[in-house]
């Protein structure tokens, strides 16, 4: 399967900027509806069209901070996929780039690059039969990242998603049950959109903090955000190259 157009949702401006500048992508005006805060940047890498979307800044609560979490990530991704299909340049692959927390118990260290093997939620607890499975929302990554990770020297594992930077004891239980190697605030939502749209999906995540370490997540995150963003700038083009230029995307049969 030849991939000609990759959509790269990256939530925070600071995470996306090094990658956007490295690929010399240009901002696309009027890509999203004018009343939304989302931003889009587009260009080519080798022979592949790359469109990066970010969630922009909050203008609802008037805080000016990045729109983080599952709601803006899923909405922006859905709007982007729909728009490009309507314009005759359909997305063929979604690569969710971003930073994440890692787990010492799973061998994670700050700066590690993880390719996701699957996603789940750890804060959607709905204790009703059927709804409990829906709440956890387990989805396998539709690309087998094993060969890519071996070739590029990255790690693989499940990404667990929640809408809080910190965690509760109950979150810990669910993250353990999810067999999570990394933790973020958007992957499961973006994977859900990809599943609805029948699009291949994979996450490319760089660890900024150790969830089960001794330092508060917000301190490690802010300390390591810039270096992690630079690592993402390096990792994302390599993953795109491997998948698109070498046709090495092993998509599961249901797609």
């Amino acid at each position: 399967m030849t991939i000609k157009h990759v959509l790269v949702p990256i939530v925070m401006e600071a995470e996306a900027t090094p990658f956007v500048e490295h690929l010399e992508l240009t901002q696309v005006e009027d890509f999203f509806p004018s009343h939304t805060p989302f931003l889009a940047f587009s260009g080519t890498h080798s022979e592949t069209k790359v469109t990066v979307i970010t969630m922009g800044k909050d203008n609802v609560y008037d805080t000016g901070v990045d729109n983080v979490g599952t709601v803006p990530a899923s909405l922006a991704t859905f709007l982007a996929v729909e728009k490009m299909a309507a314009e005759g340049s359909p997305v063929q692959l979604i690569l969710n780039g971003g930073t994440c927390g890692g787990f010492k118990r799973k061998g994670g260290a700050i700066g590690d690059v993880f390719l996701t093997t699957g996603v789940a939620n750890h804060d959607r607890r709905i204790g009703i039969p059927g709804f409990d499975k829906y709440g956890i929302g387990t989805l396998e990554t539709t690309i087998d990242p094993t060969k890519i990770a071996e070739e590029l020297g990255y790690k693989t594992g499940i990404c667990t998603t929640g809408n809080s930077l910190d965690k509760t004891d109950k979150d810990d239980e669910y993250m353990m049950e999810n067999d999570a190697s990394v933790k973020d605030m958007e992957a499961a939502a973006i994977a859900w959109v990809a599943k609805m749209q029948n699009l291949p999906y994979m996450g490319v995540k760089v660890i900024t903090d150790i969830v089960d370490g001794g330092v508060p997540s917000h301190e490690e995150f802010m300390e390591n955000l810039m270096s992690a963003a630079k690592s993402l700038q390096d990792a994302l083009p390599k993953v795109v190259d491997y998948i698109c230029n070498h046709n090495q995307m092993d998509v599961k049969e249901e797609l």
Side-chain angles (χ1 to χ4, degrees), residues 51-246:
T51 300
V52 172
I53 59 171
T54 67
M55 310 308 110
K57 301 296 184 180
D58 165 51
N59 58 8
V60 174
Y61 307 107
D62 198 27
T63 64
V65 301
D66 295 88
N67 286 303
V68 299
T70 57
V71 173
S74 58
L75 178 57
T77 302
F78 177 79
L79 289 173
V81 170
E82 290 289 298
K83 179 179 179 64
M84 289 183 284
E87 291 182 346
S89 180
V91 173
Q92 294 172 290
L93 168 66
I94 297 178
L95 283 180
N96 169 215
T99 59
C100 64
F103 294 87
K104 182 171 57 178
R105 64 174 178 261
K106 300 291 285 188
I110 290 172
D112 282 350
V113 177
F114 270 81
L115 307 183
T116 63
T117 58
V119 299
N121 296 285
H122 60 260
D123 66 348
R124 299 202 317 185
R125 295 180 287 275
I126 312 172
I128 303 172
F131 285 94
D132 51 356
K133 182 179 179 180
Y134 164 83
I136 295 171
T138 300
L139 288 172
E140 290 187 12
T141 294
T142 46
I143 302 169
D144 183 354
T146 306
K147 293 179 182 178
I148 308 171
E150 289 176 354
E151 181 75 18
L152 300 179
Y154 300 150
K155 297 180 179 180
T156 62
I158 293 170
C159 183
T160 188
T161 295
N163 277 299
S164 295
L165 182 63
D166 66 359
K167 59 184 177 63
T168 66
D169 290 343
K170 184 59 70 173
D171 290 337
D172 272 332
E173 291 179 23
Y174 274 72
M175 288 189 286
M176 288 281 288
E177 291 176 5
N178 290 343
D179 192 29
S181 291
V182 293
K183 166 187 176 289
D184 79 346
M185 297 177 68
E186 74 275 348
I190 293 172
W192 179 70
V193 173
K195 181 69 172 179
M196 283 198 304
Q197 300 280 11
N198 201 33
L199 287 170
Y201 162 87
M202 187 170 69
V204 182
K205 300 290 181 174
V206 181
I207 292 178
T208 55
D209 56 280
I210 302 301
V211 179
D212 53 353
V215 180
S217 290
H218 66 278
E219 293 181 10
E220 281 192 318
F221 173 78
M222 294 307 299
E223 179 180 348
N224 298 306
L225 176 59
M226 292 300 101
S227 61
K230 290 180 180 177
S231 294
L232 195 64
Q233 165 201 312
D234 180 68
L236 279 169
K238 291 179 180 178
V239 174
V240 171
D241 281 341
Y242 194 89
I243 292 175
C244 299
N245 296 343
H246 303 291

